[in-house]
Amino acid sequence: MQIKLGEKIRELRKRDKRKQEDLAAALGVTNQAVSRWEANGGYPDIELLPAIANYFHITIDQLFGYDSDRQIKLQSYIKQADELARQRDNVLLVEFLRNAISEFPSEWQLQFRLANALVSMGYQKSEPHTIVTKGSHYFQYNTAYNAQNECWKEAISLLEEILKKEIDDDCRTSVIFSLMWLYSWMGNQENAERTALSQSPICVSREVLLADTTKDEKSEQYRGEAILALMHELYKVLRTTVMIKHSLSHSQTGLDALLAVVRLYECILNDGNCGIFHNDMCMLYLYCSSIAIHLNDSERALNYYETALDHFLEWKQVQGISQFTAPLVDKAKNFRPSIVLLNREWFEEHMQSFPAECADAIRNNPKYAAIFAQ
């Protein structure tokens, strides 16, 4: 410890371009004392340790080099947790994260991963699917049932605690989105509204503000990012509006609304390079297919469904890389939308309403074999 401490003091002093005399004066000790510490000929009195740490604006743990070891171990846990998440073994992942958090009880990165794992585990155990309330035109979540979901209750507690901490903006956004979905599934409308109303309105989002006020060489980049962000948010709100209202999700009016968003995407991304937005297009066409089935138009439903599969295959090719080339957005760089990751289960669910011969033809089509083999 003595050797590490002397080396650390010398490293910090040189980092801050301070002389031994400067540190000595600040601590009220002799220059020779500082020199002796750095030469590993002794170490400071314990009473001086807080003052030394404060002088260099670090913690005492960092002064002794413990923080570096701690961060290495923490990052190792995060890496292991992410690998378990890829394996989709939520039971093992939750157990691993609980043990890691017992060692790092205040680390929000572990808490956030545990919350996400609990959301997934709770989804497997529950039935958050929509039902139609008698006498209502709207689809509603089975909130009375979902409110008993212990995994989701714990996830909410973790996410609410994370929001009290200093985290970066992107992570804060992810936490808020997760909370909003959980509140909605469990019927906690009051907390959902409180959380939503505490956020900034769309007119003061960073994308819109930069697009409106920046007039230098970056203005085209910011305008492109604002277009993409607003397009994506419009898609999410309109999709939800159509699909939760029975009179829209079973009507030509609802189908026309979704197709209008499709045309907007095709207009803005007019060279066919949709990048990560192939995911949005896939979702839109899946919902169009569902509505066409309700309209007893099997031919259109099948056409929309196959178009959705084509967009999914395109999305798998880009793997989330979004370097856009269409003129309106080709300078955009930093847009990272929140998306629902699709998998085989989504397509199987949407295919259930197809006639058996249509479903078999799709599954047996070599073009789509990779999707249904997942």
Side-chain angles (χ1 to χ4, degrees):
M1 184 173 69
Q2 176 182 339
I3 295 175
K4 287 185 178 180
L5 182 56
E7 291 175 353
K8 189 67 175 180
I9 290 173
R10 182 172 66 252
E11 172 192 326
L12 292 167
R13 183 176 58 76
K14 290 184 175 180
R15 181 200 70 181
D16 294 348
K17 297 181 172 58
R18 302 293 180 89
K19 299 178 180 178
Q20 288 183 342
E21 303 93 88
D22 298 329
L23 177 58
L27 298 176
V29 299
T30 64
N31 298 346
Q32 291 80 3
V34 175
S35 178
R36 186 168 62 253
W37 301 339
E38 293 186 3
N40 298 322
Y43 52 90
D45 291 338
I46 193 170
E47 294 85 355
L48 289 174
L49 296 180
I52 296 173
N54 186 60
Y55 181 81
F56 293 116
H57 304 289
I58 61 174
T59 65
I60 293 178
D61 280 350
Q62 289 172 315
L63 182 63
F64 281 98
Y66 297 153
D67 191 71
S68 177
D69 295 340
R70 184 176 183 276
Q71 285 301 314
I72 291 172
K73 193 168 189 179
L74 172 61
Q75 291 305 313
S76 173
Y77 284 161
I78 291 173
K79 184 177 179 180
Q80 291 178 67
D82 290 344
E83 178 58 35
L84 288 173
R86 283 189 287 272
Q87 297 172 15
R88 298 185 180 182
D89 188 339
N90 286 314
V91 174
L92 186 60
L93 176 58
V94 166
E95 181 182 3
F96 174 81
L97 285 168
R98 289 196 194 284
N99 290 332
I101 289 173
S102 68
E103 187 173 347
F104 296 90
S106 62
E107 287 296 338
W108 69 267
Q109 296 178 80
L110 296 173
Q111 293 172 332
F112 186 45
R113 284 165 171 79
L114 176 58
N116 286 335
L118 288 167
V119 170
S120 297
M121 184 180 290
Y123 197 96
Q124 293 170 350
K125 294 180 177 180
S126 190
E127 298 177 0
H129 307 296
T130 52
I131 59 174
V132 180
T133 302
K134 187 175 181 179
S136 171
H137 293 292
Y138 295 92
F139 288 95
Q140 296 181 353
Y141 293 112
N142 191 348
T143 54
Y145 182 83
N146 294 339
Q148 308 306 313
N149 193 309
E150 296 299 326
C151 291
W152 288 351
K153 289 180 184 179
E154 184 179 355
I156 285 177
S157 296
L158 286 164
L159 293 168
E160 289 175 338
E161 186 63 29
I162 292 170
L163 279 186
K164 300 174 185 177
K165 301 182 178 183
E166 293 294 328
I167 60 178
D168 64 70
D169 289 341
D170 287 339
C171 293
R172 183 170 296 277
T173 299
S174 296
V175 171
I176 290 171
F177 272 126
S178 298
L179 268 175
M180 291 295 292
W181 278 112
L182 287 169
Y183 289 149
S184 179
W185 290 342
M186 301 179 77
N188 196 333
Q189 190 62 27
E190 182 179 347
N191 275 346
E193 290 181 357
R194 174 181 54 78
T195 302
L197 291 173
S198 68
Q199 310 309 310
S200 300
I202 193 169
C203 61
V204 293
S205 68
R206 62 190 178 194
E207 291 86 2
V208 172
L209 288 174
L210 288 169
D212 282 348
T213 60
T214 306
K215 304 302 178 186
D216 59 16
E217 66 277 3
K218 284 192 171 183
S219 59
E220 196 171 357
Q221 171 191 334
Y222 292 141
R223 286 195 296 271
E225 289 164 6
I227 289 170
L228 294 173
L230 292 169
M231 178 179 72
H232 180 64
E233 295 308 315
L234 175 63
Y235 143 74
K236 291 197 299 181
V237 172
L238 199 145
R239 175 201 68 195
T240 303
T241 301
V242 170
M243 297 313 295
I244 69 169
K245 192 171 184 179
H246 188 271
S247 59
L248 289 174
S249 64
H250 289 62
S251 72
Q252 185 64 45
T253 300
L255 179 58
D256 289 342
L258 294 182
L259 290 174
V261 181
V262 167
R263 289 192 293 273
L264 174 65
Y265 273 68
E266 292 173 344
C267 177
I268 292 174
L269 304 170
N270 63 353
D271 62 352
N273 174 18
C274 299
I276 197 169
F277 290 114
H278 280 296
N279 185 85
D280 289 6
M281 296 288 277
C282 177
M283 291 286 286
L284 282 165
Y285 275 111
L286 280 179
Y287 288 125
C288 286
S289 178
S290 294
I291 296 177
I293 284 291
H294 294 311
L295 295 174
N296 297 315
D297 192 337
S298 298
E299 183 177 350
R300 273 203 301 174
L302 184 60
N303 181 56
Y304 293 145
Y305 186 86
E306 290 183 339
T307 305
L309 294 176
D310 291 339
H311 277 288
F312 180 75
L313 291 174
E314 290 287 344
W315 179 78
K316 293 289 285 185
Q317 286 290 322
V318 300
Q319 288 294 313
I321 299 172
S322 299
Q323 182 55 56
F324 300 101
T325 49
L328 285 171
V329 294
D330 61 343
K331 297 297 189 296
K333 294 180 181 178
N334 300 319
F335 182 64
R336 300 183 299 278
S338 60
I339 62 173
V340 176
L341 295 178
L342 298 173
N343 54 37
R344 177 175 55 82
E345 285 73 21
W346 279 84
F347 298 110
E348 290 283 5
E349 181 179 343
H350 279 267
M351 202 191 299
Q352 288 176 6
S353 55
F354 286 172
E357 61 273 17
C358 291
D360 289 341
I362 295 170
R363 290 192 187 95
N364 295 327
N365 188 332
K367 184 179 180 181
Y368 307 126
I371 297 175
F372 294 101
Q374 291 178 8

